[in-house]
Amino acid sequence: MALLPLLTDEQAPARARAVFDDIRASRGTDYVNNIWRALANDPAQLEATWSEVKRVMAPGALDPLTKELLYIAVSAANNCSYCLHTHTASARAKGMSEAMFAELMAVVGLANETNRLANGYRVEVDAAFLPKP
Amino acid sequence: MALLPLLTDEQAPARARAVFDDIRASRGTDYVNNIWRALANDPAQLEATWSEVKRVMAPGALDPLTKELLYIAVSAANNCSYCLHTHTASARAKGMSEAMFAELMAVVGLANETNRLANGYRVEVDAAFLPKP
Amino acid sequence: MALLPLLTDEQAPARARAVFDDIRASRGTDYVNNIWRALANDPAQLEATWSEVKRVMAPGALDPLTKELLYIAVSAANNCSYCLHTHTASARAKGMSEAMFAELMAVVGLANETNRLANGYRVEVDAAFLPKP
Amino acid sequence: MALLPLLTDEQAPARARAVFDDIRASRGTDYVNNIWRALANDPAQLEATWSEVKRVMAPGALDPLTKELLYIAVSAANNCSYCLHTHTASARAKGMSEAMFAELMAVVGLANETNRLANGYRVEVDAAFLPKP
Amino acid sequence: MALLPLLTDEQAPARARAVFDDIRASRGTDYVNNIWRALANDPAQLEATWSEVKRVMAPGALDPLTKELLYIAVSAANNCSYCLHTHTASARAKGMSEAMFAELMAVVGLANETNRLANGYRVEVDAAFLPKP
Amino acid sequence: MALLPLLTDEQAPARARAVFDDIRASRGTDYVNNIWRALANDPAQLEATWSEVKRVMAPGALDPLTKELLYIAVSAANNCSYCLHTHTASARAKGMSEAMFAELMAVVGLANETNRLANGYRVEVDAAFLPKP
């Protein structure tokens, strides 16, 4: 059980219901998942988060699948079970194969290892890699 | 200054120098960067890490540029200055534009926000997103 | 199940039982929660942790409710389910409303986002914000 | 040096300059700090982040000083040097005394300790603290 | 349920089964635990991870029990439930007593506290502790 | 520069100076390092932290060198530069060789990798490794 109630359509304030409607229209599904029903307790935050998800995850210099892969990588680094489950589902719907998921996790594992080796040894950045003033 | 000396070619044991040579040959450059010179204090670890970098970052179901973007995303989540500098350089060499980097960071920022909202509210995973037994 | 047994009053050594008694007296309840029963396997650590909780969470320059909010914020950043459940209960007992909890989580989400943007871009601290020597 | 250039007013695109102007007007100062000049490389992200900072940090169920304290707590947990410097400055401007800062850090330290004790021992949440379905 | 299927011996490709066999032979047990069955979806990663576990956890300048303690400490800092359960089992099999586990967790708790105090206060490293160039 | 002044003996309140004296006596040196001078701004916290360091790091079921190694491992996982520098110095003073440090870091790197693989794949704990009720 979440620490705030997951609001049904009937329980949600009008401003939150309007976001639910936009989620349904944008995704072409009637299903509104739990994170949005939790955020509905704070309609302004719900609006802002949904608006950011639409903006940031839209096609741009990076395609939507690549953005989903990045989302999964960060969620694995941060150990967010909710985000791992929902964004692997989104990524698969956008074409992530099992082999792509496995390679993504291999990079996550390797980066976590070398991040700690570099930080733990306190390796200074090579002058060659520092941005030029 | 790192917590272990960055070994020059002259200081590195033969097993480590062999890895330096492979780094040079694989990358087509004479430059061996600091992380490898730090790891040279433990030649078996140097061999294993370099071998894993070559294996994991090679083209596969994901292309090398996408892998670099994932590496950067994890390094930003973990706050590894060394890895951020070196892998943004690698990613740029493989075609990452400034717009791609900015979009990558936008996903990292958003995922970090929603990871904490989902974890902090203890939102349970929707049954619809749980793997089927 | 925890990795060490949760000791009942009968199982706990005398030194741990004395802490249980102080917890009961300080809180005006007969209930001793699981973290203390786990720490009872190491009575010196139990004493020290309980002593620190009493000292740090007491009224001072910050009031006890503000301290509970800070505790929740850190626990959300660190993804501690146990601490989130117990400290939201404590905070609510001290007056945290649902609106306050939602705003707290909004700050946690935003700070996590900007922490990673600043760290990921390696933004240098403005001279204006550096402490004066 | 940051990984993207800190854009001056002259270098920033018009959309970013409009945000700079709003920052100046909102804060009653001519100074625009580095994080905004870094984000100006991605004007849509700059707009969104600044808009969220204004929304989330505004007075509500929690007062602005309490929100700054929470921001600092998260930034300490995440080790964001930039955010620690800027938000301790903001908090001090809003009334944070040295004693308040020290107590805040004491809570951050204690929560980090007990977060790891609870997570490390895998202590299960007491039934009494679980939300009622 | 994991995000990729846990492969049985029958489902695993030959290359993964060979690793399963080596795990059985090395450990003198018929049981192959879940992490290996998950990694079997990516046989090259399974080989590399198992090979690294054998190499890194072998006796060297540090004995295998000390290495298990270090593994547990990192897993507690990172909140990895899977690793905490399996490596406390391994450590107990190698001689970790309940008192040793409790002292290990006390160090983890204390280090997490002081890590955040030092990082949060931005305490500069004493010149006396900096490596000599 | 730290976010609070590093108090000299002259600036420190009497209660903090008493801790400085105990640090000097316990360590047989006249040098009091920066973290204690920062904490001196909050004498009660200084007393508590120093007292815990003495208690937790003392010989027990684990010897002091093993405890230093654990401290370093956690500090590398958390990226605490201050703690890495001071505790590698302490560990070396207690007998940590360069080979031991390198093996410690290898375990830290490996555990960080497998922590993320297990968390990222959401691998469930084997029934065989769950504590018996």
Side-chain angles (χ1 to χ4, degrees), chain A residues 52 55-56, chain B residues 102-103 105-110 113, chain C residues 113-114 117 121, chain D residues 15 19 36 38-52:
Chain A
E52 278 297 271
R55 181 183 71 78
V56 171
Chain B
E103 289 192 17
M105 286 303 305
V107 178
V108 170
L110 178 64
E113 179 176 18
Chain C
E113 180 176 17
T114 59
L117 291 173
Y121 276 131
Chain D
R15 196 171 165 190
V19 177
W36 308 115
L39 290 174
N41 291 281
D42 181 357
Q45 180 69 31
L46 173 65
E47 278 179 2
T49 305
W50 170 241
S51 166
E52 277 297 273

PDB file of all heavy atoms in Angstrom, chain A residues 52 55-56, chain B residues 102-103 105-110 113, chain C residues 113-114 117 121, chain D residues 15 19 36 38-52:
ATOM      1  N   GLU A  52       5.908  17.164 -17.888  1.00  0.00           N
ATOM      2  CA  GLU A  52       7.332  16.932 -18.116  1.00  0.00           C
ATOM      3  C   GLU A  52       7.576  15.593 -18.804  1.00  0.00           C
ATOM      4  O   GLU A  52       8.450  15.479 -19.667  1.00  0.00           O
ATOM      5  CB  GLU A  52       8.105  16.991 -16.783  1.00  0.00           C
ATOM      6  CG  GLU A  52       8.431  18.399 -16.335  1.00  0.00           C
ATOM      7  CD  GLU A  52       9.355  19.094 -17.327  1.00  0.00           C
ATOM      8  OE1 GLU A  52      10.584  18.969 -17.185  1.00  0.00           O
ATOM      9  OE2 GLU A  52       8.823  19.750 -18.259  1.00  0.00           O
ATOM     10  N   ARG A  55       6.865  16.120 -22.421  1.00  0.00           N
ATOM     11  CA  ARG A  55       7.874  16.956 -23.069  1.00  0.00           C
ATOM     12  C   ARG A  55       9.208  16.211 -23.226  1.00  0.00           C
ATOM     13  O   ARG A  55       9.793  16.176 -24.321  1.00  0.00           O
ATOM     14  CB  ARG A  55       8.121  18.225 -22.250  1.00  0.00           C
ATOM     15  CG  ARG A  55       9.151  19.172 -22.873  1.00  0.00           C
ATOM     16  CD  ARG A  55       9.431  20.395 -22.022  1.00  0.00           C
ATOM     17  NE  ARG A  55      10.187  20.105 -20.821  1.00  0.00           N
ATOM     18  CZ  ARG A  55      11.514  19.891 -20.781  1.00  0.00           C
ATOM     19  NH1 ARG A  55      12.242  19.917 -21.889  1.00  0.00           N
ATOM     20  NH2 ARG A  55      12.118  19.617 -19.639  1.00  0.00           N
ATOM     21  N   VAL A  56       9.692  15.643 -22.134  1.00  0.00           N
ATOM     22  CA  VAL A  56      11.045  15.075 -22.146  1.00  0.00           C
ATOM     23  C   VAL A  56      11.119  13.789 -22.959  1.00  0.00           C
ATOM     24  O   VAL A  56      12.120  13.541 -23.639  1.00  0.00           O
ATOM     25  CB  VAL A  56      11.519  14.825 -20.689  1.00  0.00           C
ATOM     26  CG1 VAL A  56      12.824  14.030 -20.659  1.00  0.00           C
ATOM     27  CG2 VAL A  56      11.679  16.159 -19.953  1.00  0.00           C
TER      28      VAL A  56
ATOM     29  N   ALA B 102      21.972  17.237 -24.144  1.00  0.00           N
ATOM     30  CA  ALA B 102      20.993  17.956 -23.323  1.00  0.00           C
ATOM     31  C   ALA B 102      19.735  17.105 -23.121  1.00  0.00           C
ATOM     32  O   ALA B 102      19.182  17.055 -22.010  1.00  0.00           O
ATOM     33  CB  ALA B 102      20.638  19.293 -23.969  1.00  0.00           C
ATOM     34  N   GLU B 103      19.295  16.404 -24.155  1.00  0.00           N
ATOM     35  CA  GLU B 103      18.108  15.562 -23.996  1.00  0.00           C
ATOM     36  C   GLU B 103      18.385  14.372 -23.076  1.00  0.00           C
ATOM     37  O   GLU B 103      17.530  13.969 -22.274  1.00  0.00           O
ATOM     38  CB  GLU B 103      17.607  15.072 -25.358  1.00  0.00           C
ATOM     39  CG  GLU B 103      16.991  16.205 -26.175  1.00  0.00           C
ATOM     40  CD  GLU B 103      16.228  15.705 -27.394  1.00  0.00           C
ATOM     41  OE1 GLU B 103      15.898  14.507 -27.458  1.00  0.00           O
ATOM     42  OE2 GLU B 103      15.945  16.538 -28.277  1.00  0.00           O
ATOM     43  N   MET B 105      20.461  14.408 -20.580  1.00  0.00           N
ATOM     44  CA  MET B 105      20.453  14.926 -19.208  1.00  0.00           C
ATOM     45  C   MET B 105      19.022  15.225 -18.753  1.00  0.00           C
ATOM     46  O   MET B 105      18.699  15.089 -17.565  1.00  0.00           O
ATOM     47  CB  MET B 105      21.325  16.179 -19.104  1.00  0.00           C
ATOM     48  CG  MET B 105      22.816  15.903 -19.152  1.00  0.00           C
ATOM     49  SD  MET B 105      23.395  14.749 -17.869  1.00  0.00           S
ATOM     50  CE  MET B 105      22.782  15.605 -16.402  1.00  0.00           C
ATOM     51  N   ALA B 106      18.155  15.632 -19.666  1.00  0.00           N
ATOM     52  CA  ALA B 106      16.760  15.881 -19.293  1.00  0.00           C
ATOM     53  C   ALA B 106      16.087  14.587 -18.843  1.00  0.00           C
ATOM     54  O   ALA B 106      15.324  14.574 -17.861  1.00  0.00           O
ATOM     55  CB  ALA B 106      16.002  16.499 -20.472  1.00  0.00           C
ATOM     56  N   VAL B 107      16.377  13.481 -19.541  1.00  0.00           N
ATOM     57  CA  VAL B 107      15.810  12.190 -19.118  1.00  0.00           C
ATOM     58  C   VAL B 107      16.379  11.785 -17.759  1.00  0.00           C
ATOM     59  O   VAL B 107      15.652  11.316 -16.876  1.00  0.00           O
ATOM     60  CB  VAL B 107      16.082  11.085 -20.174  1.00  0.00           C
ATOM     61  CG1 VAL B 107      15.527   9.746 -19.686  1.00  0.00           C
ATOM     62  CG2 VAL B 107      15.464  11.451 -21.516  1.00  0.00           C
ATOM     63  N   VAL B 108      17.689  11.972 -17.590  1.00  0.00           N
ATOM     64  CA  VAL B 108      18.311  11.636 -16.301  1.00  0.00           C
ATOM     65  C   VAL B 108      17.649  12.430 -15.173  1.00  0.00           C
ATOM     66  O   VAL B 108      17.320  11.877 -14.111  1.00  0.00           O
ATOM     67  CB  VAL B 108      19.828  11.922 -16.343  1.00  0.00           C
ATOM     68  CG1 VAL B 108      20.453  11.819 -14.954  1.00  0.00           C
ATOM     69  CG2 VAL B 108      20.519  10.951 -17.305  1.00  0.00           C
ATOM     70  N   GLY B 109      17.452  13.713 -15.394  1.00  0.00           N
ATOM     71  CA  GLY B 109      16.824  14.547 -14.366  1.00  0.00           C
ATOM     72  C   GLY B 109      15.408  14.088 -14.060  1.00  0.00           C
ATOM     73  O   GLY B 109      15.028  13.925 -12.895  1.00  0.00           O
ATOM     74  N   LEU B 110      14.628  13.845 -15.096  1.00  0.00           N
ATOM     75  CA  LEU B 110      13.238  13.425 -14.900  1.00  0.00           C
ATOM     76  C   LEU B 110      13.154  12.068 -14.206  1.00  0.00           C
ATOM     77  O   LEU B 110      12.350  11.874 -13.277  1.00  0.00           O
ATOM     78  CB  LEU B 110      12.529  13.361 -16.262  1.00  0.00           C
ATOM     79  CG  LEU B 110      11.078  12.900 -16.233  1.00  0.00           C
ATOM     80  CD1 LEU B 110      10.198  13.879 -15.460  1.00  0.00           C
ATOM     81  CD2 LEU B 110      10.538  12.721 -17.654  1.00  0.00           C
ATOM     82  N   GLU B 113      13.790  12.329 -10.615  1.00  0.00           N
ATOM     83  CA  GLU B 113      12.650  12.905  -9.895  1.00  0.00           C
ATOM     84  C   GLU B 113      11.572  11.841  -9.656  1.00  0.00           C
ATOM     85  O   GLU B 113      11.117  11.637  -8.540  1.00  0.00           O
ATOM     86  CB  GLU B 113      12.062  14.076 -10.679  1.00  0.00           C
ATOM     87  CG  GLU B 113      10.868  14.691  -9.971  1.00  0.00           C
ATOM     88  CD  GLU B 113      10.324  15.917 -10.689  1.00  0.00           C
ATOM     89  OE1 GLU B 113      10.630  16.108 -11.882  1.00  0.00           O
ATOM     90  OE2 GLU B 113       9.593  16.681 -10.047  1.00  0.00           O
TER      91      GLU B 113
ATOM     92  N   GLU C 113      16.092  15.922  -9.089  1.00  0.00           N
ATOM     93  CA  GLU C 113      16.275  16.256 -10.504  1.00  0.00           C
ATOM     94  C   GLU C 113      17.438  17.253 -10.683  1.00  0.00           C
ATOM     95  O   GLU C 113      18.343  17.034 -11.484  1.00  0.00           O
ATOM     96  CB  GLU C 113      14.992  16.865 -11.070  1.00  0.00           C
ATOM     97  CG  GLU C 113      15.132  17.228 -12.542  1.00  0.00           C
ATOM     98  CD  GLU C 113      13.841  17.745 -13.149  1.00  0.00           C
ATOM     99  OE1 GLU C 113      12.919  18.131 -12.395  1.00  0.00           O
ATOM    100  OE2 GLU C 113      13.744  17.770 -14.388  1.00  0.00           O
ATOM    101  N   THR C 114      17.388  18.334  -9.928  1.00  0.00           N
ATOM    102  CA  THR C 114      18.419  19.366 -10.140  1.00  0.00           C
ATOM    103  C   THR C 114      19.785  18.916  -9.613  1.00  0.00           C
ATOM    104  O   THR C 114      20.814  19.329 -10.153  1.00  0.00           O
ATOM    105  CB  THR C 114      18.014  20.705  -9.495  1.00  0.00           C
ATOM    106  OG1 THR C 114      17.821  20.507  -8.099  1.00  0.00           O
ATOM    107  CG2 THR C 114      16.727  21.237 -10.118  1.00  0.00           C
ATOM    108  N   LEU C 117      21.157  17.198 -12.559  1.00  0.00           N
ATOM    109  CA  LEU C 117      21.489  18.132 -13.644  1.00  0.00           C
ATOM    110  C   LEU C 117      22.790  18.866 -13.314  1.00  0.00           C
ATOM    111  O   LEU C 117      23.682  18.985 -14.155  1.00  0.00           O
ATOM    112  CB  LEU C 117      20.340  19.125 -13.850  1.00  0.00           C
ATOM    113  CG  LEU C 117      19.053  18.529 -14.437  1.00  0.00           C
ATOM    114  CD1 LEU C 117      17.935  19.573 -14.423  1.00  0.00           C
ATOM    115  CD2 LEU C 117      19.266  18.029 -15.866  1.00  0.00           C
ATOM    116  N   TYR C 121      26.053  17.850 -15.476  1.00  0.00           N
ATOM    117  CA  TYR C 121      26.680  18.881 -16.315  1.00  0.00           C
ATOM    118  C   TYR C 121      28.007  19.367 -15.723  1.00  0.00           C
ATOM    119  O   TYR C 121      28.711  20.140 -16.350  1.00  0.00           O
ATOM    120  CB  TYR C 121      25.756  20.114 -16.432  1.00  0.00           C
ATOM    121  CG  TYR C 121      24.691  20.044 -17.495  1.00  0.00           C
ATOM    122  CD1 TYR C 121      23.372  20.355 -17.206  1.00  0.00           C
ATOM    123  CD2 TYR C 121      25.003  19.701 -18.805  1.00  0.00           C
ATOM    124  CE1 TYR C 121      22.380  20.322 -18.189  1.00  0.00           C
ATOM    125  CE2 TYR C 121      24.030  19.662 -19.793  1.00  0.00           C
ATOM    126  CZ  TYR C 121      22.724  19.975 -19.488  1.00  0.00           C
ATOM    127  OH  TYR C 121      21.766  19.938 -20.454  1.00  0.00           O
TER     128      TYR C 121
ATOM    129  N   ARG D  15      14.666  32.646 -26.061  1.00  0.00           N
ATOM    130  CA  ARG D  15      13.799  31.942 -25.111  1.00  0.00           C
ATOM    131  C   ARG D  15      14.493  31.767 -23.751  1.00  0.00           C
ATOM    132  O   ARG D  15      13.842  31.814 -22.708  1.00  0.00           O
ATOM    133  CB  ARG D  15      13.487  30.572 -25.723  1.00  0.00           C
ATOM    134  CG  ARG D  15      12.343  29.849 -25.098  1.00  0.00           C
ATOM    135  CD  ARG D  15      12.010  28.620 -25.941  1.00  0.00           C
ATOM    136  NE  ARG D  15      11.163  27.695 -25.216  1.00  0.00           N
ATOM    137  CZ  ARG D  15      10.884  26.464 -25.635  1.00  0.00           C
ATOM    138  NH1 ARG D  15      11.409  26.028 -26.774  1.00  0.00           N
ATOM    139  NH2 ARG D  15      10.091  25.677 -24.919  1.00  0.00           N
ATOM    140  N   VAL D  19      13.888  33.697 -19.722  1.00  0.00           N
ATOM    141  CA  VAL D  19      13.932  33.068 -18.390  1.00  0.00           C
ATOM    142  C   VAL D  19      14.910  33.824 -17.499  1.00  0.00           C
ATOM    143  O   VAL D  19      14.624  34.083 -16.322  1.00  0.00           O
ATOM    144  CB  VAL D  19      14.308  31.577 -18.492  1.00  0.00           C
ATOM    145  CG1 VAL D  19      14.424  30.953 -17.101  1.00  0.00           C
ATOM    146  CG2 VAL D  19      13.280  30.815 -19.333  1.00  0.00           C
ATOM    147  N   TRP D  36      21.594  28.037 -14.292  1.00  0.00           N
ATOM    148  CA  TRP D  36      20.673  28.524 -15.322  1.00  0.00           C
ATOM    149  C   TRP D  36      21.399  28.782 -16.631  1.00  0.00           C
ATOM    150  O   TRP D  36      20.861  28.566 -17.713  1.00  0.00           O
ATOM    151  CB  TRP D  36      19.940  29.784 -14.830  1.00  0.00           C
ATOM    152  CG  TRP D  36      19.299  29.586 -13.492  1.00  0.00           C
ATOM    153  CD1 TRP D  36      19.609  30.216 -12.329  1.00  0.00           C
ATOM    154  CD2 TRP D  36      18.248  28.651 -13.175  1.00  0.00           C
ATOM    155  NE1 TRP D  36      18.832  29.737 -11.300  1.00  0.00           N
ATOM    156  CE2 TRP D  36      17.981  28.778 -11.786  1.00  0.00           C
ATOM    157  CE3 TRP D  36      17.510  27.719 -13.898  1.00  0.00           C
ATOM    158  CZ2 TRP D  36      17.015  28.022 -11.117  1.00  0.00           C
ATOM    159  CZ3 TRP D  36      16.552  26.955 -13.251  1.00  0.00           C
ATOM    160  CH2 TRP D  36      16.316  27.110 -11.882  1.00  0.00           C
ATOM    161  N   ALA D  38      23.976  27.107 -17.651  1.00  0.00           N
ATOM    162  CA  ALA D  38      24.225  25.783 -18.251  1.00  0.00           C
ATOM    163  C   ALA D  38      22.954  25.262 -18.909  1.00  0.00           C
ATOM    164  O   ALA D  38      22.975  24.773 -20.041  1.00  0.00           O
ATOM    165  CB  ALA D  38      24.710  24.805 -17.179  1.00  0.00           C
ATOM    166  N   LEU D  39      21.828  25.376 -18.197  1.00  0.00           N
ATOM    167  CA  LEU D  39      20.567  24.872 -18.749  1.00  0.00           C
ATOM    168  C   LEU D  39      20.121  25.671 -19.976  1.00  0.00           C
ATOM    169  O   LEU D  39      19.297  25.194 -20.767  1.00  0.00           O
ATOM    170  CB  LEU D  39      19.463  24.896 -17.681  1.00  0.00           C
ATOM    171  CG  LEU D  39      19.634  23.881 -16.547  1.00  0.00           C
ATOM    172  CD1 LEU D  39      18.565  24.093 -15.485  1.00  0.00           C
ATOM    173  CD2 LEU D  39      19.562  22.445 -17.074  1.00  0.00           C
ATOM    174  N   ALA D  40      20.652  26.879 -20.137  1.00  0.00           N
ATOM    175  CA  ALA D  40      20.269  27.703 -21.294  1.00  0.00           C
ATOM    176  C   ALA D  40      20.632  27.040 -22.617  1.00  0.00           C
ATOM    177  O   ALA D  40      20.102  27.416 -23.674  1.00  0.00           O
ATOM    178  CB  ALA D  40      20.922  29.083 -21.195  1.00  0.00           C
ATOM    179  N   ASN D  41      21.508  26.041 -22.578  1.00  0.00           N
ATOM    180  CA  ASN D  41      21.788  25.273 -23.789  1.00  0.00           C
ATOM    181  C   ASN D  41      20.570  24.485 -24.259  1.00  0.00           C
ATOM    182  O   ASN D  41      20.533  24.010 -25.388  1.00  0.00           O
ATOM    183  CB  ASN D  41      22.954  24.303 -23.529  1.00  0.00           C
ATOM    184  CG  ASN D  41      24.281  25.018 -23.349  1.00  0.00           C
ATOM    185  OD1 ASN D  41      24.894  25.417 -24.330  1.00  0.00           O
ATOM    186  ND2 ASN D  41      24.720  25.206 -22.107  1.00  0.00           N
ATOM    187  N   ASP D  42      19.611  24.295 -23.372  1.00  0.00           N
ATOM    188  CA  ASP D  42      18.369  23.561 -23.686  1.00  0.00           C
ATOM    189  C   ASP D  42      17.214  24.412 -23.154  1.00  0.00           C
ATOM    190  O   ASP D  42      16.708  24.182 -22.050  1.00  0.00           O
ATOM    191  CB  ASP D  42      18.423  22.186 -22.991  1.00  0.00           C
ATOM    192  CG  ASP D  42      17.189  21.330 -23.257  1.00  0.00           C
ATOM    193  OD1 ASP D  42      16.255  21.805 -23.926  1.00  0.00           O
ATOM    194  OD2 ASP D  42      17.172  20.178 -22.784  1.00  0.00           O
ATOM    195  N   PRO D  43      16.804  25.423 -23.939  1.00  0.00           N
ATOM    196  CA  PRO D  43      15.855  26.422 -23.418  1.00  0.00           C
ATOM    197  C   PRO D  43      14.550  25.816 -22.885  1.00  0.00           C
ATOM    198  O   PRO D  43      14.000  26.318 -21.893  1.00  0.00           O
ATOM    199  CB  PRO D  43      15.595  27.326 -24.633  1.00  0.00           C
ATOM    200  CG  PRO D  43      16.824  27.197 -25.478  1.00  0.00           C
ATOM    201  CD  PRO D  43      17.270  25.772 -25.299  1.00  0.00           C
ATOM    202  N   ALA D  44      14.062  24.741 -23.491  1.00  0.00           N
ATOM    203  CA  ALA D  44      12.818  24.139 -22.992  1.00  0.00           C
ATOM    204  C   ALA D  44      13.020  23.559 -21.589  1.00  0.00           C
ATOM    205  O   ALA D  44      12.148  23.653 -20.716  1.00  0.00           O
ATOM    206  CB  ALA D  44      12.332  23.057 -23.954  1.00  0.00           C
ATOM    207  N   GLN D  45      14.191  22.955 -21.371  1.00  0.00           N
ATOM    208  CA  GLN D  45      14.499  22.407 -20.035  1.00  0.00           C
ATOM    209  C   GLN D  45      14.683  23.557 -19.040  1.00  0.00           C
ATOM    210  O   GLN D  45      14.253  23.478 -17.890  1.00  0.00           O
ATOM    211  CB  GLN D  45      15.768  21.551 -20.111  1.00  0.00           C
ATOM    212  CG  GLN D  45      16.182  20.924 -18.770  1.00  0.00           C
ATOM    213  CD  GLN D  45      15.231  19.854 -18.298  1.00  0.00           C
ATOM    214  OE1 GLN D  45      14.614  19.170 -19.094  1.00  0.00           O
ATOM    215  NE2 GLN D  45      15.064  19.727 -16.979  1.00  0.00           N
ATOM    216  N   LEU D  46      15.341  24.622 -19.472  1.00  0.00           N
ATOM    217  CA  LEU D  46      15.522  25.794 -18.606  1.00  0.00           C
ATOM    218  C   LEU D  46      14.174  26.343 -18.163  1.00  0.00           C
ATOM    219  O   LEU D  46      13.945  26.581 -16.969  1.00  0.00           O
ATOM    220  CB  LEU D  46      16.312  26.870 -19.367  1.00  0.00           C
ATOM    221  CG  LEU D  46      16.448  28.227 -18.677  1.00  0.00           C
ATOM    222  CD1 LEU D  46      17.260  28.119 -17.388  1.00  0.00           C
ATOM    223  CD2 LEU D  46      17.109  29.248 -19.613  1.00  0.00           C
ATOM    224  N   GLU D  47      13.270  26.524 -19.112  1.00  0.00           N
ATOM    225  CA  GLU D  47      11.921  27.013 -18.764  1.00  0.00           C
ATOM    226  C   GLU D  47      11.232  26.092 -17.771  1.00  0.00           C
ATOM    227  O   GLU D  47      10.641  26.535 -16.782  1.00  0.00           O
ATOM    228  CB  GLU D  47      11.047  27.076 -20.032  1.00  0.00           C
ATOM    229  CG  GLU D  47      11.231  28.305 -20.873  1.00  0.00           C
ATOM    230  CD  GLU D  47      10.347  28.260 -22.126  1.00  0.00           C
ATOM    231  OE1 GLU D  47       9.584  27.286 -22.300  1.00  0.00           O
ATOM    232  OE2 GLU D  47      10.445  29.207 -22.929  1.00  0.00           O
ATOM    233  N   ALA D  48      11.288  24.796 -18.050  1.00  0.00           N
ATOM    234  CA  ALA D  48      10.572  23.831 -17.220  1.00  0.00           C
ATOM    235  C   ALA D  48      11.165  23.786 -15.807  1.00  0.00           C
ATOM    236  O   ALA D  48      10.433  23.764 -14.813  1.00  0.00           O
ATOM    237  CB  ALA D  48      10.616  22.448 -17.858  1.00  0.00           C
ATOM    238  N   THR D  49      12.496  23.792 -15.709  1.00  0.00           N
ATOM    239  CA  THR D  49      13.127  23.686 -14.396  1.00  0.00           C
ATOM    240  C   THR D  49      12.858  24.941 -13.569  1.00  0.00           C
ATOM    241  O   THR D  49      12.514  24.858 -12.388  1.00  0.00           O
ATOM    242  CB  THR D  49      14.651  23.455 -14.538  1.00  0.00           C
ATOM    243  OG1 THR D  49      14.855  22.302 -15.355  1.00  0.00           O
ATOM    244  CG2 THR D  49      15.307  23.230 -13.176  1.00  0.00           C
ATOM    245  N   TRP D  50      12.998  26.089 -14.186  1.00  0.00           N
ATOM    246  CA  TRP D  50      12.752  27.345 -13.469  1.00  0.00           C
ATOM    247  C   TRP D  50      11.281  27.435 -13.035  1.00  0.00           C
ATOM    248  O   TRP D  50      10.965  27.840 -11.907  1.00  0.00           O
ATOM    249  CB  TRP D  50      13.142  28.538 -14.350  1.00  0.00           C
ATOM    250  CG  TRP D  50      12.721  29.867 -13.809  1.00  0.00           C
ATOM    251  CD1 TRP D  50      11.876  30.758 -14.393  1.00  0.00           C
ATOM    252  CD2 TRP D  50      13.119  30.460 -12.556  1.00  0.00           C
ATOM    253  NE1 TRP D  50      11.716  31.863 -13.603  1.00  0.00           N
ATOM    254  CE2 TRP D  50      12.464  31.720 -12.465  1.00  0.00           C
ATOM    255  CE3 TRP D  50      13.953  30.058 -11.514  1.00  0.00           C
ATOM    256  CZ2 TRP D  50      12.611  32.561 -11.369  1.00  0.00           C
ATOM    257  CZ3 TRP D  50      14.107  30.897 -10.403  1.00  0.00           C
ATOM    258  CH2 TRP D  50      13.439  32.135 -10.346  1.00  0.00           C
ATOM    259  N   SER D  51      10.399  27.027 -13.920  1.00  0.00           N
ATOM    260  CA  SER D  51       8.977  27.040 -13.602  1.00  0.00           C
ATOM    261  C   SER D  51       8.688  26.117 -12.412  1.00  0.00           C
ATOM    262  O   SER D  51       7.921  26.467 -11.498  1.00  0.00           O
ATOM    263  CB  SER D  51       8.188  26.601 -14.841  1.00  0.00           C
ATOM    264  OG  SER D  51       6.863  26.303 -14.513  1.00  0.00           O
ATOM    265  N   GLU D  52       9.314  24.954 -12.398  1.00  0.00           N
ATOM    266  CA  GLU D  52       9.112  24.028 -11.286  1.00  0.00           C
ATOM    267  C   GLU D  52       9.711  24.566  -9.984  1.00  0.00           C
ATOM    268  O   GLU D  52       9.127  24.400  -8.909  1.00  0.00           O
ATOM    269  CB  GLU D  52       9.736  22.658 -11.610  1.00  0.00           C
ATOM    270  CG  GLU D  52       8.841  21.779 -12.455  1.00  0.00           C
ATOM    271  CD  GLU D  52       7.548  21.430 -11.754  1.00  0.00           C
ATOM    272  OE1 GLU D  52       7.525  20.439 -11.021  1.00  0.00           O
ATOM    273  OE2 GLU D  52       6.565  22.184 -11.939  1.00  0.00           O
TER     274      GLU D  52
END
